[in-house]
Every structure is written in structure tokens, then in C-alpha cells.
Amino acid sequence: MSWVHAGAVLWWTNSHNLFPGATPASTADGIREGVKRLAEAHPSLNGFADPQQTALWNAGIEDTEAQAIHELWEKHPPADPPCRPHGYLLGNAYQALSEESRKHRALAQTPRYITDLLLDLAFHPAAARWGMDSFQAIDPSCGTGHILYEMLAAAQAWTPGGRRTERLMQPGERLERALHVVHGVDLDPYAVLIARLRLVAAATLWLSANRVNHPTLPDRMPDDWPVNVTAADTLLDRTEPLLERGRYHVVVGNPPYVTPKTAEQRDAVRASYPQVCHMKYALSLPFHQLMTDLLVPGGWCAQLTANSFMKREFGRRFVEEYLPRQDLRWVIDTAGAYIPGHGTPTVILVHRNQAPVGDTVSAVLGIRGEPAKPEDPSRGVVWQSIASKVREKLAFQRLAAAAEREIGPEPKSPPVIEPSVKVVKQLSLFGESLADAA
């Protein structure tokens, strides 16, 4: 698996002219030399030269096998769209090649259309609340970095809304700031390497594309620019700095849905998360508690997770005792949507790390599943219905919040999730005036 995937990585890096010497080869020595050059491209990538993380250093192959690997990726290249070199297929290829990562580490890639909605539900509201200068975001089960890549793009593109102003930033400074924002942790050390590679590549390609207008930009990602992605046991490692509790303004993720694989793991996780681990629990529940613990007070969390806790006895304690203490904002039934690589029925949960505010939770309830497997999952009937309804409500909430800032809240009214009566009346009058004008 390591040799075959290394061939894909070298094909991909060479297709974007990323790192000198990190090129495809048809011999075993040539592949190893390309991987070695890749490890030298940035300090965060040195794991490509580490036998503990990259297994091709532990056992050789014949040159005939290396030639077959070369021909495989020439025939089926892991190519990106010309306008967006994101490396998604590197992650998908690793998931397809590595049975161990799928079965024992529950690796499942999160499609971009899912990530975009998760960011709309949590990342953007949190950024609007705190700004980006000291903002911290994490995916604590990041896999090969699908969510991290989109999070980096969102952090780099972010601008303050309304009347807020942002200090003038030098070319490249916004990118460096975005790299400081994004964090990821995963149990799989090779998946972490791929996630790091994708972030380094994104930064390198941005610098290369913008040097035409800004000649002072570096020609490669500087060694002191951070890549905050590491391998650790997210649920049980209490010494990893990236897992510091109360650190992050937003947590976005797609945590594992499986049950613990061994009795030792089951007991250790249960001892660490007794509030949510009941009976034969799924790892999605302790991950939910961990995600909450990672947040600052008032921080946002959005996750695609298994809905099994809603239907089985192990979730009773979580639903009846744990969730009511959180400010749950959204419950979105995605079980009927087609999500590649996700055979388990899912739900999107969004909450804030604070006591409940008001008594309203927004819910999107499924009526029926996809009539047929969609050719483009992002254009599926069910997913399009979900995304349009959620974004319509989010747009209304943003408009209502802006109007309330201008008009002022109802005097002495208790805080609620929905906009105040005064704002609703103003918006209704605004709609009536548009109708009259029409």
C-alpha cells in the first residue's frame, strides 16, 4: 500500500511542480529518492523519510513492480481540477488502498459539499463573533485533511462583515495567519502526513501564483510557517498540546462511527468519558464530548456523525442527560442523502459550548431517501433540499441579526435564538413594501 500510494503522491506533486526532485519514477530506488526529496521540502513533511510513518522504507519491491505502479498512475492520474489543486484524490486513494485504515481507524473522507455546509453552520458564525487574528479551529479526527483544506481556504478568504474593519495586511500575511488558525489531529500517522502535504502544497501554490504581482513573496513555504497537524490518540492523549481543552473557537469534524475494537480501549474511553459512554457505545459520543471540551465558552461545533445514538439504548443517557445541558442549534437528518464512503446513516449536529439559549432547536427532518444513486452526490435531490433549506434559514438569521443591531432589541426581552418580534415585524414590512413596489 505504501509503495503504491507513494507513486500517487509523487505523480500529484510533480503535476503541480511543487518540489524539485519529488517526481514519479519507474524504479524502486527512484520512488524512494522522490519520497526523500518530498520529506526535505518542509519540516512538517519529514515523516515521509521515517519508517515508522512511511512503510516503504521497511521493505523493498522489484523494479517490475515499481514500473507497474508508475503505469497505474499514468493511466489513472489523481488529477485535480485546473483551478483548484486540492489533493482530494490522494486522500480517497489512501482510503481505497488501506483496508487497515478503513476497518481499524474508521477512515472516511468528508466530501467538499458536506464540509462547506459544516463551515457555514459553525466556522463562519464563530469567525464573525471573534474575528480571525487570534482565531483557533480544529478537526480532531482530520484523516487526510479534507476538512482542513477547506478550513484553510475559509480562514484565508475571511473578511469582517458589516461595519467592522480589518488592518491592512501584507501579501502572504493573510495566508500565514490562516495556517495559524487551522489545526488537526488523527490517530493515523500516514493520513496526518497526507494532510500536512496538502496544506503545504496549498500554501506553496498560492505563493507561486501570486509572485507575479508581489515579487517579494517567498518562492516556497517558509520553514517557520506552521502546519499544526499531528498524530495522536485524540480521545485518550491528555499530553498533546493541540488537544488542550478550552482552546478552540470552532470545532468541525466527521468523527469515527465505530465501536471500540478492544476491551482495553472500550474501558479506557469509558473511564475518560463516563457522562456519554453507556452500554455498548459508539465512539461518536465520546468524540462529541471531546469536541465540546476543546471549545472556549460559547465556541461553535458542527459535525457529521452517526445517528445510531438516536435509535439505540446506548444513546439514551446522551440524549436525556448530556445534550439538554448544551446550546443545541441544529439537528439535520442526512440519513437519506447519498454520501460516498458512508454506509452508516448520519446526522449533522451543531451546538455551542454554553447553556441553552431559549427553547428552540432548528431541525431538518427527512421524508424520503434519494430516488436513485446520484451521478454527482452534491447534486442529489435529498442533499440539495437539505442544503437549500439550511442556507435559507441561515441567511434569514444573518439578516435578522443585522436588522436587530440597527433597530435595537425589544426592551427587557429574554434572549432567544429566533429574531425578536420587533425585527420580524420590520422584516415583514420590508417584504410588504417590496411587494407593493412590484
Side-chain angles (χ1 to χ4, degrees), residues 345-365:
T346 55
V347 63
I348 290 175
L349 299 179
V350 181
H351 74 281
R352 296 188 70 182
N353 183 26
Q354 60 188 21
V357 177
D359 56 2
T360 301
V361 176
S362 298
V364 179
L365 307 181

Side-chain angles (χ1 to χ4, degrees), residues 288-310:
H288 183 103
Q289 182 179 339
L290 169 74
M291 288 173 156
T292 305
D293 293 345
L294 291 172
L295 291 168
V296 300
W300 290 76
C301 175
Q303 59 177 311
L304 176 72
T305 190
N307 71 5
S308 53
F309 74 90
M310 302 163 64

Side-chain angles (χ1 to χ4, degrees), residues 102-106 187 235 255-267 269-270 277-287 306 308-309 312 314 344:
R102 296 192 307 274
K103 290 189 175 181
H104 298 290
R105 295 191 286 274
L187 184 64
L235 289 175
Y257 310 156
V258 296
T259 56
K261 294 301 182 184
T262 65
E264 292 78 11
Q265 183 191 26
R266 181 180 65 244
D267 293 342
V269 173
R270 189 191 303 276
C277 293
H278 181 56
M279 303 178 67
K280 192 176 180 181
Y281 64 90
L283 290 177
S284 54
L285 297 191
F287 261 97
S308 53
F309 74 90
R312 298 180 187 171
F314 76 83
T344 302

Side-chain angles (χ1 to χ4, degrees), residues 95-328:
Q95 178 179 329
L97 288 166
S98 176
E99 182 180 9
E100 181 184 0
S101 70
R102 296 192 307 274
K103 290 189 175 181
H104 298 290
R105 295 191 286 274
L107 180 68
Q109 311 300 318
T110 308
R112 181 188 176 188
Y113 63 92
I114 300 287
T115 300
D116 285 348
L117 188 62
L118 295 178
L119 296 180
D120 285 346
L121 287 162
F123 184 94
H124 296 302
R129 163 66 178 82
W130 281 286
M132 200 58 59
D133 281 341
S134 59
F135 197 66
Q136 300 276 275
I138 189 172
D139 176 359
S141 53
C142 67
T144 59
H146 280 23
I147 291 177
L148 298 185
Y149 180 90
E150 302 300 342
M151 200 181 283
L152 178 68
Q156 188 180 1
W158 182 86
T159 56
R163 298 177 178 177
R164 295 174 59 181
T165 58
E166 185 180 33
R167 64 187 178 85
L168 183 64
M169 304 186 76
Q170 297 298 315
E173 188 180 358
R174 183 185 294 273
L175 173 59
E176 183 181 4
R177 182 182 68 176
L179 287 164
H180 280 279
V181 166
V182 176
H183 301 74
V185 180
D186 198 86
L187 184 64
D188 186 330
Y190 187 74
V192 163
L193 269 181
I194 300 304
R196 290 175 179 173
L197 171 63
R198 293 171 66 187
L199 296 184
V200 172
T204 301
L205 290 168
W206 186 92
L207 292 169
S208 176
N210 285 273
R211 272 176 57 82
V212 175
N213 296 322
H214 304 285
T216 59
L217 287 173
D219 58 359
R220 55 184 290 274
M221 180 171 162
D223 288 351
D224 59 349
W225 283 18
V227 180
N228 296 311
V229 188
T230 195
D233 188 332
T234 303
L235 289 175
L236 297 177
D237 192 334
R238 293 303 181 98
T239 62
E240 170 53 52
L242 296 192
L243 295 172
E244 178 186 354
R245 273 43 172 181
R247 172 175 177 174
Y248 296 96
H249 301 94
V250 64
V251 178
V252 178
N254 180 8
Y257 310 156
V258 296
T259 56
K261 294 301 182 184
T262 65
E264 292 78 11
Q265 183 191 26
R266 181 180 65 244
D267 293 342
V269 173
R270 189 191 303 276
S272 296
Y273 303 92
Q275 298 178 67
V276 297
C277 293
H278 181 56
M279 303 178 67
K280 192 176 180 181
Y281 64 90
L283 290 177
S284 54
L285 297 191
F287 261 97
H288 183 103
Q289 182 179 339
L290 169 74
M291 288 173 156
T292 305
D293 293 345
L294 291 172
L295 291 168
V296 300
W300 290 76
C301 175
Q303 59 177 311
L304 176 72
T305 190
N307 71 5
S308 53
F309 74 90
M310 302 163 64
K311 301 178 290 184
R312 298 180 187 171
E313 187 63 25
F314 76 83
R316 179 181 295 276
R317 180 187 297 175
F318 178 76
V319 171
E320 295 182 353
E321 300 177 17
Y322 187 80
L323 272 184
R325 300 199 301 268
Q326 297 180 350
D327 185 11
L328 185 63

Side-chain angles (χ1 to χ4, degrees), residues 1 5 8 73 78 88-98 109:
M1 186 286 299
H5 196 265
W73 297 119
Y88 266 60
L89 290 181
L90 292 182
N92 293 354
Y94 178 53
Q95 178 179 329
L97 288 166
S98 176
Q109 311 300 318

Side-chain angles (χ1 to χ4, degrees), residues 361-382:
V361 176
S362 298
V364 179
L365 307 181
I367 300 173
R368 59 180 64 89
E370 295 286 359
K373 180 180 175 180
E375 183 176 343
D376 178 356
S378 69
R379 306 298 298 174
V381 175
V382 174

